[in-house]
Amino acid sequence: MTFLNAMKCAFCFRRSCPKRYQIGNRTYYSHLGFVRTECPKKLGKYSYLTMDEIKEKALERKRANEQQEKESQVKKIVLVDDNSQYANALAEFIEKPDKQECIVFTNPVDAFNHIVNNHVDILLTDYQMPNMNGCQLAQKVLEKNSNIRIIIMSGYDNGYIKKACNEYGIDEKVEIIGKGSDEIFTTL
C-alpha cells in the first residue's frame, strides 16, 4: 500500500464510510481495495489488510471452529470392567470413528480419576469388580459430575442391581442392562 493510498484511506475512514463491517470485536472499513481494522482492545491502533488477507484469516477461524465443533460432537465413553478381554472386545464394538471414543479401564479407581480430570459423556461399568463395585463407582462419579450418563451392566438379575443402586441412592440416575446382551449397542 502506498503512502498516498494510506492517506486517502485514513481521510475516508474519518468520515462515515459506506463499507463498514462489524465482525466479533473488530470493525472493518473497506476502501480502495484495502481494509482497515480497528480493535477496541488496542485503542488508536489500526492495521491495514487486503481483502485476500481478511478472507484467509476468516477461513482459518472457520476451520478452527469446525475442528472444535467436531471434537465436541464425539461422545467420550469410559468402559470399566475387571475382565480386560471382555472390556477390550466390547470397546471395539462400541467405538465408532468421529462419533464415539471408548477408553477402557480394568480398575475402577483409575477410571474414577480419569473421569474427574477429563470430560466424559458416558460411564459404562460392570457391577461386580474388586476394590469397588459399579454402584459405588457410579455414586462417586455422580458426586463429582451429575451430568454424566451412567450404565451399569451385570450378569446378575436386574432386580438385584436395582436394589443395590437403591441402597446407594442412585437408582433413578443409572441405567441397568444385562452383560453380554444386545441392549448395550441399542442403549449407546
Side-chain angles (χ1 to χ4, degrees):
M1 177 175 206
T2 65
F3 177 74
L4 184 60
N5 283 344
M7 290 305 294
K8 286 179 183 177
C9 288
F11 179 74
C12 174
F13 294 139
R14 285 193 204 120
R15 299 178 180 184
S16 61
C17 185
K19 295 179 181 175
R20 181 175 182 224
Y21 310 97
Q22 186 74 33
I23 303 173
N25 66 343
R26 290 186 177 267
T27 305
Y28 295 90
Y29 302 92
S30 175
H31 183 70
L32 297 175
F34 291 92
V35 177
R36 182 182 80 168
T37 65
E38 183 179 294
C39 182
K41 291 180 183 175
K42 301 175 183 176
L43 290 173
K45 301 277 182 170
Y46 303 105
S47 60
Y48 293 90
L49 303 169
T50 64
M51 287 303 287
D52 291 337
E53 291 171 324
I54 288 180
K55 288 176 185 175
E56 185 61 36
K57 285 187 178 195
L59 276 174
E60 286 174 15
R61 279 196 210 115
K62 183 178 179 183
R63 285 186 203 120
N65 288 341
E66 286 174 354
Q67 180 65 25
Q68 187 177 15
E69 191 175 300
K70 182 180 176 184
E71 289 173 3
S72 67
Q73 290 176 349
V74 175
K75 284 185 187 176
K76 308 280 187 193
I77 301 171
V78 168
L79 173 60
V80 187
D81 197 324
D82 57 325
N83 183 342
S84 62
Q85 289 179 332
Y86 176 78
N88 289 325
L90 183 59
E92 285 185 37
F93 283 108
I94 291 173
E95 217 167 67
K96 296 176 187 168
D98 298 331
K99 291 187 179 183
Q100 293 181 164
E101 178 183 308
C102 189
I103 303 166
V104 176
F105 290 94
T106 55
N107 184 341
V109 176
D110 294 340
F112 175 73
N113 292 332
H114 176 81
I115 291 168
V116 169
N117 296 319
N118 298 288
H119 171 76
V120 175
D121 297 305
I122 301 171
L123 168 62
L124 179 62
T125 180
D126 186 20
Y127 173 73
Q128 190 63 43
M129 296 180 289
N131 302 328
M132 185 187 304
N133 69 37
C135 292
Q136 291 169 330
L137 176 61
Q139 182 185 34
K140 286 181 74 172
V141 167
L142 285 169
E143 287 173 3
K144 297 289 183 182
N145 181 358
S146 62
N147 296 328
I148 193 168
R149 182 177 170 202
I150 298 178
I151 303 168
I152 298 177
M153 55 184 179
S154 178
Y156 291 103
D157 178 45
N158 284 2
Y160 174 77
I161 305 300
K162 284 183 183 179
K163 184 178 176 184
C165 289
N166 192 22
E167 290 174 12
Y168 288 98
I170 58 169
D171 56 327
E172 294 180 6
K173 299 172 186 165
V174 299
E175 299 171 49
I176 301 166
I177 58 174
K179 193 172 187 178
S181 71
D182 290 340
E183 283 181 277
I184 292 171
F185 306 110
T186 57
T187 305
L188 299 174

